[in-house]
Amino acid sequence: MNAFNTMLPRSLGYILRPHSQVRTFAALSRARTTKTRTAHRNPHGIVVPRRTLTIDQNGKRADTASRTAPHFAFAFDIDGVLLHVAKPIPGAIETLKYLQHHDIPFILLTNGGGKHESERVEDLSNRLGVPLSTANFVQSHTPFEELVDKCWSESDVDGHMQLEPSNGDGIAGLADKNILITGSDPAKSRLIAEAYGFRSVITPADILVAHPTIFPFERLLKTTYADTARPLPCPNPKIDAIFVFNDPRDWALDTQIILDLLLSKDGVLGTYSPKNGRAEHENHGWQVDGQPKLYFSNHDLFWSATYHLPRFGQGAFQAALAGIWRQITGGRAELKRTTIGKPYARTYGYAEKVLAEWRAGLLKKRHSHSGDGSDRSDGAHTQPLARVYMVGDNPESDIRGANDYVSPHGTEWASILVRTGVWSKERDGEPKHKPDVIVDDVKSAVEWAVKREGWR
């Protein structure tokens, strides 16, 4: 019987390791608290309680870290893995507490979005009862922050993010450029983008209020548009980039405005490029005349919500937009766009960078708590990260992404599919993208991975 299977009910129990006491979650909860440090504010502005120092029944500090630094880590999807709608999935809280206690690195990697990272992490911490940090949290639009002062190379094919100042006018990034943003709540997405550092953010509501005839139909969200609109920087601004932050609500308006801009000359609202459809130009003239670049934060066709069947996600909006574009171009030009989020390598490369930084911080903490005053960075303490276990519920995003990603640092990504989310064998059959293992839930996923690693 493996270590996890000897655990007390509703806990992850214990794992035997050299140089450490055998400890269970139950034992930790019985331990006598001797000192509690006050909460501190992290660099991202989130108040995070410091870990409570405890003494176990043998008088040893119960939070003393093992001298063996794990050479593996985890990446967890959220919806369908840790939470269902807004409630913790059984075993999720204990799993995260276990990993935190044993300094096993993990990040939360989700295709969700629509809130700023700090707000989402605070909400997750409250729902899960576990202190979390923006430093190991990546949601679908988090990588867009890189575009404030840098640009992504279009030649990137291996998932390793190449950042180059390549706007053509000597200015790196989009910080001072006009960008159009939409999502489930465009006004809130604007605030997120401004928090990232974008300084000229326009929403569809701004354009509609300034040009009411641009959408000649009854406005179902008339009050919302009027309440959230801001004046345009000029009557017909030049738009340099379009971002879909998360699942749009008003598909008709968003589709009209996005396509208007993709057909424009130089991204100027209300213009039409004379190159469109001309065979003598590259791509038959489509999207080759200074139109804004189009960015999607994920391509999830479905997601798991309260309803018993999966609901359409941002990927459905992207598919609809691409289908209309195909009709406009007569099928002679595919819609040019950049899609990040899972399963795309760009997001996995970004996540691996975040995970490496988070792991380095944990290792540094180990050194500072070792009691020998050293700050050494050699030997087992800094062995390279060998494996990352991606735990997800969606074969098309979580599993496919982990299977396909090739780390530039040689780190292996393994995939674990759970049965608590969007995938159902009875409805969907065998997953198209085969995981390394299929398990019941996140607790079982960590059990399997730890056993596989032989970590003690």
Side-chain angles (χ1 to χ4, degrees), residues 325-346:
W325 180 259
R326 200 171 297 115
Q327 290 294 312
I328 291 172
T329 64
R332 289 187 293 273
E334 286 297 310
L335 178 65
K336 292 182 181 180
R337 73 269 202 190
T338 297
T339 305
I340 62 170
K342 298 174 293 185
Y344 293 101
R346 190 182 295 278

Side-chain angles (χ1 to χ4, degrees), residues 150-170:
K150 297 179 176 65
C151 291
W152 290 337
S153 169
E154 294 183 359
S155 63
D156 173 22
V157 294
D158 65 357
H160 186 50
M161 198 167 290
Q162 304 293 330
L163 300 172
E164 301 174 356
S166 56
N167 275 359
D169 56 7

Side-chain angles (χ1 to χ4, degrees), residues 44 117 151 178-179 193 232 240 276 289 320 347 358 374 394 403 410:
H44 299 271
E117 286 73 11
C151 291
N178 293 325
I179 64 172
L232 293 175
D240 290 282
N276 290 337
D289 198 13
T347 285
W358 181 252
S374 68
N394 191 333
N403 290 351

Side-chain angles (χ1 to χ4, degrees), residues 262 282-283 286-288 294 325 334-338:
L262 296 180
E282 177 190 356
N283 205 39
W286 304 107
Q287 290 181 280
V288 296
L294 175 60
W325 180 259
E334 286 297 310
L335 178 65
K336 292 182 181 180
R337 73 269 202 190
T338 297

Side-chain angles (χ1 to χ4, degrees), residues 59-122:
K60 302 291 186 180
R61 268 183 55 174
D63 70 339
T64 302
S66 166
R67 293 179 62 84
T68 304
H71 56 276
F72 60 96
F74 291 90
F76 297 110
D77 185 28
I78 297 176
D79 297 315
V81 175
L82 300 176
L83 297 175
H84 180 65
V85 187
K87 296 181 180 179
I89 289 173
I93 294 175
E94 294 87 349
T95 299
L96 295 182
K97 287 182 176 179
Y98 174 83
L99 296 175
Q100 286 184 335
H101 178 73
H102 291 280
D103 285 339
I104 299 175
F106 69 88
I107 61 170
L108 306 185
L109 180 59
T110 175
N111 273 355
K115 295 182 178 180
H116 190 268
E117 286 73 11
S118 59
E119 182 183 357
R120 187 77 191 278
V121 164
E122 184 175 22

